[in-house]
Amino acid sequence: MERGFIFCFFLLLCIFCIADAGSIGVNYGRIANNLPSAVKVVQLLKSQGLQRVKVFDADPAVLKALSGSSIKVTVDLPNELLYSAAKRQSFALSWVQRNIAAYYPSTQIEAIAVGNEVFVDPHNTTKFLIPAMKNIHQALEKLNLHSDIKISSPIALSALQSSYPSSAGAFRSELIEPVFKPLLDFLRQTGSYLMVNAYPFFAYESNSDVISLDYALFRENPGVVDAGNGLRYFSLFDAQIDAVFAAMSALKYDDIRMVVTETGWPSKGDENELGASLQNAAAYNGNLIRRILTGGGTPLRPKADLTVYLFALFNENQKNGPTSERNYGLFYPNEQKVYDIPFTVEGLKNYKDNPSPASGGQQVTNPVNGGVSKSTTGNTWCVANSEVGKEKLQAGLDFACGEGGADCRPIQPGASCYNPNTIEAHASFAFNSYYQKNGRKAGTCYFGGSALVVTQAPKYGECEFPTGY
């Protein structure tokens, strides 16, 4: 009780006496046929006090509508243009002239996101990323805009080979020399920052039996101590972000800043999408906004005030995939709020998260090995359930190879279990590694319904699955 009182006292003190703090923006996606005009969208952003927006292309109607609004804008050069931007300096210059210089400075473009989650793009555009970024930067230099507009590229957490515990954060080994070192060198030389997309929802959905909902939603909880650095974490978001900071630190890039270019929580999902609900979405985004706007960084980087872009502005009715994909919006297409949360420091004065009785009393457990009973089975293995679809398998694979700490080195390109190169084979190997590493405990072969326990040794190609570590 005393700890809770002190927590609340300092929270109020932060809200009313805030100095330097982070910043909140929003992703303005448009995969829908029922959205308001760009002019109305800009009016909506201003009415809500949202001062930053990120768009996934360079649509002229959107960039014109933002002109004179004082809203800071991040523009995306889509993945499908990476090849051209990398191969031809003339294309990069023309693209910058048409989509950046033509609107700047009336439209306050502050950054260009070159590609998006390139490492998970099935079209294999990774090798074009760094050349494209350099050509776009040269174009900005030619137009004397390089001092005002930063260049980066959003990475997914699946770019990490290890993310649990946070102190063990490391980039995928096959990407370090060809991509991450030159990328981080480029960011350092240009004074830019690393863009990161982080979704605690995916980790919780796949492992709700071992990750506390309170821990995922920034609610009060006992916290989780990182055995590697001794720091105590009170939110999954902070743990994920610090895993990326640790990965940069391992390569001696402690000076690079970070911007969280996407994070969010769906207000609705399919029956098997655990945690997707209106109340949880409101809690995650509302508590995240409070966490960012009241200052302070992460346990590892306490002075690193973050800029965070919520995903997304609207529910987008033409997105593919599970129901959750169409329900990340803060607003309905009619501009009404999906749930009532503030976006400004002023609005936070009256904000209160209202946990339900079912979730309010949960205790946080160690995300890998807490709160589950020992298995009584003999030799068993954990494999992917192919019936759930590729997206669910990918989410589970990302967690297993990331926060879950599975040994995913054998499924990297050129390694012993890379072939067959299918999501089912790779997910099966990662799920089993996680399962075996955790002593085949009950609940460690679940991954949101994406995995099954089997009693016959699985075999994919020449790859043999271990039964213990």
Side-chain angles (χ1 to χ4, degrees):
M1 185 68 73
E2 183 182 348
R3 181 184 174 278
F5 173 79
I6 294 171
F7 174 82
C8 292
F9 173 77
F10 280 107
L11 177 62
L12 287 171
L13 191 67
C14 285
I15 291 174
F16 289 104
C17 307
I18 189 167
D20 293 327
S23 171
I24 292 291
V26 66
N27 284 274
Y28 173 23
R30 304 192 319 282
I31 306 176
N33 60 7
N34 57 356
L35 299 183
S37 69
V39 171
K40 286 187 175 181
V41 169
V42 172
Q43 293 170 348
L44 176 65
L45 294 172
K46 293 177 73 173
S47 73
Q48 298 298 320
L50 286 161
Q51 299 176 340
R52 280 189 159 89
V53 67
K54 178 173 165 287
V55 294
F56 293 92
D57 52 21
D59 185 87
V62 173
L63 295 178
K64 284 177 185 174
L66 286 161
S67 176
S69 67
S70 297
I71 295 171
K72 297 186 186 308
V73 185
T74 295
V75 172
D76 186 60
L77 183 144
N79 287 353
E80 54 266 28
L81 298 183
L82 283 179
Y83 175 84
S84 297
K87 292 297 183 181
R88 302 201 313 274
Q89 176 62 46
S90 59
F91 176 90
L93 178 60
S94 175
W95 187 89
V96 169
Q97 287 173 325
R98 288 194 323 272
N99 300 294
I100 305 298
Y103 303 99
Y104 185 84
S106 182
T107 299
Q108 292 192 13
I109 299 169
E110 63 174 344
I112 300 171
V114 177
N116 185 55
E117 299 187 352
V118 171
F119 310 138
V120 295
D121 183 353
H123 296 101
N124 194 25
T125 50
T126 298
K127 61 185 175 183
F128 305 122
L129 177 61
I130 304 302
M133 293 177 74
K134 289 181 176 179
N135 281 346
I136 293 293
H137 188 257
Q138 284 182 26
L140 290 177
E141 284 183 318
K142 198 165 214 177
L143 299 168
N144 201 29
L145 299 175
H146 59 289
S147 298
D148 302 322
I149 299 172
K150 301 303 180 188
I151 295 173
S152 188
S153 184
I155 66 167
L157 284 186
S158 56
L160 298 182
Q161 185 163 298
S162 172
S163 66
Y164 183 84
S166 297
S167 57
F171 294 118
R172 281 161 47 186
S173 55
E174 78 277 11
L175 294 175
I176 290 176
E177 292 299 330
V179 184
F180 271 108
K181 282 189 176 179
L183 170 62
L184 294 168
D185 279 337
F186 174 85
L187 298 179
R188 176 182 280 165
Q189 291 161 9
T190 60
S192 189
Y193 42 80
L194 183 65
M195 294 177 170
V196 177
N197 296 344
Y199 286 91
F201 167 71
F202 292 133
Y204 173 77
E205 177 205 19
S206 297
N207 299 273
S208 59
D209 50 347
V210 289
I211 295 179
S212 159
L213 186 60
D214 288 341
Y215 185 65
L217 299 181
F218 299 92
R219 287 175 174 157
E220 190 169 355
N221 63 82
V224 175
V225 176
D226 185 318
N229 57 26
L231 297 172
R232 185 176 293 272
Y233 286 85
F234 294 101
S235 76
L236 184 53
F237 174 86
D238 277 0
Q240 290 183 337
I241 297 307
D242 271 359
V244 183
F245 275 133
M248 288 196 285
S249 182
L251 299 179
K252 311 299 183 190
Y253 292 92
D254 295 276
D255 54 317
I256 305 295
R257 294 177 296 128
M258 187 193 304
V259 166
V260 180
T261 34
E262 285 183 32
T263 191
W265 196 285
S267 60
K268 186 178 179 183
D270 295 321
E271 189 176 333
N272 61 350
E273 293 188 283
L274 298 176
S277 74
L278 195 70
Q279 186 182 55
N280 289 346
Y284 179 81
N285 284 317
N287 290 335
L288 170 66
I289 290 167
R290 179 168 60 190
R291 155 82 178 75
I292 297 302
L293 293 185
T294 53
T298 64
L300 188 61
R301 299 278 184 91
K303 295 182 180 179
D305 292 322
L306 293 170
T307 293
V308 173
Y309 288 82
L310 304 175
F311 187 90
L313 187 57
F314 295 109
N315 283 341
E316 298 171 67
N317 67 351
Q318 292 185 316
K319 294 194 77 173
N320 295 321
T323 297
S324 62
E325 283 294 313
R326 295 173 289 283
N327 288 278
Y328 273 90
L330 301 166
F331 294 87
Y332 294 110
N334 65 3
E335 300 181 50
Q336 296 300 306
K337 281 187 173 182
V338 176
Y339 39 83
D340 191 20
I341 59 170
F343 300 106
T344 63
V345 173
E346 186 67 25
L348 284 172
K349 293 177 182 177
N350 299 314
Y351 172 69
K352 209 173 194 179
D353 172 25
N354 294 306
S356 68
S359 67
Q362 282 192 2
Q363 294 296 306
V364 70
T365 60
N366 186 307
V368 168
N369 58 10
V372 290
S373 60
K374 289 279 185 183
S375 171
T376 57
T377 60
N379 272 357
T380 55
W381 295 262
C382 182
V383 297
N385 176 9
S386 60
E387 294 182 2
V388 301
K390 290 184 178 180
E391 291 197 13
K392 295 279 287 186
L393 293 181
Q394 185 66 55
L397 175 61
D398 291 347
F399 175 83
C401 293
E403 287 164 75
D407 181 8
C408 294
R409 288 172 296 180
I411 56 174
Q412 304 305 317
S416 59
C417 291
Y418 179 70
N419 290 316
N421 181 19
T422 67
I423 185 69
E424 182 182 347
H426 287 184
S428 290
F429 187 91
F431 292 176
N432 185 63
S433 173
Y434 179 89
Y435 177 63
Q436 302 295 341
K437 275 193 166 188
N438 287 282
R440 301 196 294 273
K441 293 174 186 174
T444 59
C445 182
Y446 182 63
F447 296 94
S450 299
L452 304 166
V453 174
V454 296
T455 56
Q456 297 292 319
K459 193 171 176 68
Y460 288 88
E462 298 303 312
C463 181
E464 294 185 4
F465 283 34
T467 55
Y469 283 85

